Amino acid sequence: MIWQHHTEGLAGIQMSDESSGPELTKSGLVKTHYPHYEGIWSYGSNLNRVILLLRNPRWALPSYFIKLKLHELQGEEGTSNNTTTKAKTIDSVDNNDDTLNEKLWLKWRDYRLEEELNLWCQFIDYYMYNGAMYWYKVDFERIGQHPFQYRDDNEKPWPQDQHCISDLGGRDGCFPRAIVSYEHLEDMEKGPKELQKIATVLRNKRGLQKTLLEDKAIHCIYHETWLKSPLSSSPPLSLKALMNNDNTNVYKFTKTQLRMIATKLEYMVMKYSIGEWNNEPLVVNDLLQNLEEYLIEINIEIASMDDDDSNHDNNNTEYLLELEQWYNSIGKGNRYDKERVQKLDIWNSISYFYNEEEDDDNNQGEEEES
């Protein structure tokens, strides 16, 4: 990712990711997906400030789909489910198989869109509300699957994640010091200004005093890292992977689905435009600017579509059941299957959720008999 090369060039150190473990020092830069269920808090209290990177959900969701392990999504399509085999991503293995990619994309999109879109919003809320837990503590994978569920707005204010209290300094630990646009960072004209935001947050940070470039060098290092990046000679992998072999976009949404995304963005714009957020003008203004840009882009795409998707299979109960069965068959939709959870150390502490479920089933059966 070119944005990562820009940041590393600015700071003079290599960026780690959440899988790097607790040996990281506070002079490091760490890329994390936490609290999304694919992310982990592996860095303990070794970090002390947050920069929130945003990407338009219209492209963030296909990009996330691309990076999923191929054996997790293909299932019955023919890929081995042997977990001892090293996982390969769709963009590294099947980038030339447009038919397979599109088939898998349509399944995943139609089944996961609403949930993943909500998680995209909750990811923002988590940091903006300084660690607001949209999941229950017993939901140890933060995945919101049966027998658990995510919290709803009626339960707000949500409890604060202990990581933001004990690991990142309490009062404003997880609140972002800056909000940075993925799209702006990869834009030649807007990129240097976006990189300046990162520099401001890192300025005077312990361990970076000698390596962090001065402000006057940012424009230069931005263009140098662009030219020296291994991705500069061709479109970024994330963009290449979004295209068919004939350079058409394989990762499309229906008009109804794009309207769903637009509605969610409108809600986010409204939420962060009123009340308490007037006290955080700099960060919130950047958030709103990005949300509004995404909304404009999506509405332009909607306006360019003249097809009627009212007969799309998502209105078909049989199709939705088929998608649910597919997602379960690849081990993604039944993560808290009782038989699996019983083998975990935490079974004794959460078994009552399953016992209550069995009691409800027994009571329902008795009512039907009577």
Side-chain angles (χ1 to χ4, degrees), residues 39-56:
I40 53 175
W41 190 291
S42 62
Y43 29 87
S45 57
N46 288 327
L47 303 175
N48 61 4
R49 59 194 69 179
V50 172
I51 298 173
L52 184 59
L53 179 69
L54 291 187
R55 188 178 188 183
N56 190 335

Side-chain angles (χ1 to χ4, degrees), residues 99-367:
T99 302
L100 177 58
N101 271 2
E102 184 170 9
K103 184 177 181 182
L104 289 171
W105 161 248
L106 293 177
K107 280 185 172 183
W108 186 85
R109 178 201 71 180
D110 291 347
Y111 189 67
R112 291 296 301 167
L113 173 59
E114 185 172 4
E115 181 82 353
E116 294 294 342
L117 183 58
N118 286 336
L119 285 171
W120 185 88
C121 296
Q122 288 166 337
F123 185 88
I124 295 173
D125 290 344
Y126 173 85
Y127 286 102
M128 293 300 291
Y129 285 93
N130 191 21
M133 290 177 60
Y134 54 83
W135 68 96
Y136 292 95
K137 193 172 182 179
V138 292
D139 184 358
F140 56 95
E141 289 189 342
R142 305 183 307 280
I143 205 166
Q145 289 185 6
H146 182 79
F148 312 123
Q149 60 186 8
Y150 290 131
R151 301 178 190 273
D152 60 37
D153 285 347
N154 294 326
E155 300 175 74
K156 286 184 175 178
W158 296 337
Q160 188 180 15
D161 189 353
Q162 191 63 33
H163 287 303
C164 299
I165 300 172
S166 59
D167 291 334
L168 284 186
R171 185 173 178 271
D172 294 317
C174 285
F175 186 81
R177 306 290 183 91
I179 291 181
V180 175
S181 163
Y182 175 96
E183 289 81 6
H184 289 189
L185 266 180
E186 297 204 352
D187 182 278
M188 290 286 284
E189 293 185 5
K190 299 177 180 178
K193 181 179 179 181
E194 211 68 10
L195 196 59
Q196 175 68 65
K197 294 181 187 178
I198 298 175
T200 301
V201 174
L202 299 181
R203 188 70 64 202
N204 300 320
K205 188 177 189 300
R206 184 170 65 86
L208 292 179
Q209 293 96 330
K210 295 181 179 180
T211 60
L212 190 68
L213 293 177
E214 297 179 1
D215 288 351
K216 62 184 180 181
I218 288 177
H219 194 276
C220 176
I221 195 62
Y222 178 88
H223 289 90
E224 282 298 307
T225 51
W226 182 284
L227 293 174
K228 300 290 175 58
S229 168
L231 302 178
S232 63
S233 60
S234 62
L237 185 59
S238 56
L239 294 179
K240 285 182 66 177
L242 292 173
M243 297 299 173
N244 245 321
N245 288 333
D246 60 358
N247 288 327
T248 59
N249 174 23
V250 67
Y251 298 108
K252 298 177 181 178
F253 291 95
T254 67
K255 185 178 287 188
T256 297
Q257 289 169 339
L258 286 174
R259 285 174 178 150
M260 179 191 300
I261 298 174
T263 298
K264 185 66 72 172
L265 287 171
E266 288 169 351
Y267 170 75
M268 293 291 282
V269 168
M270 179 185 69
K271 177 165 66 173
Y272 285 102
S273 297
I274 58 176
E276 61 188 290
W277 300 110
N278 293 327
N279 299 322
E280 300 286 351
L282 294 178
V283 171
V284 174
N285 285 346
D286 285 342
L287 173 62
L288 289 172
Q289 178 186 352
N290 283 292
L291 294 174
E292 289 166 353
E293 285 179 5
Y294 300 158
L295 191 54
I296 290 171
E297 291 175 12
I298 291 171
N299 282 330
I300 290 174
E301 184 173 357
I302 291 172
S304 70
M305 301 170 69
D306 55 8
D307 58 310
D308 179 10
D309 58 19
S310 59
N311 294 320
H312 180 63
D313 280 339
N314 254 31
N315 299 313
N316 186 316
T317 303
E318 185 176 333
Y319 174 63
L320 293 176
L321 179 60
E322 177 188 323
L323 293 180
E324 180 181 358
Q325 292 172 342
W326 164 73
Y327 203 63
N328 288 342
S329 73
I330 58 175
K332 298 290 285 182
N334 52 357
R335 297 287 298 167
Y336 293 149
D337 178 75
K338 182 177 180 180
E339 185 176 342
R340 172 181 178 265
V341 176
Q342 281 178 319
K343 300 175 183 177
L344 303 178
D345 293 338
I346 63 167
W347 169 249
N348 289 335
S349 63
I350 63 173
S351 60
Y352 66 92
F353 283 97
Y354 297 84
N355 295 334
E356 288 180 355
E357 183 182 54
E358 290 176 355
D359 291 341
D360 290 341
D361 289 343
N362 292 335
N363 292 335
Q364 183 177 356
E366 291 174 1
E367 291 175 2

Side-chain angles (χ1 to χ4, degrees), residues 21-40:
E23 70 277 5
L24 295 168
T25 66
K26 284 193 175 182
S27 63
L29 297 170
V30 181
K31 176 179 64 179
T32 181
H33 297 93
Y34 187 90
H36 188 275
Y37 57 82
E38 296 282 0
I40 53 175

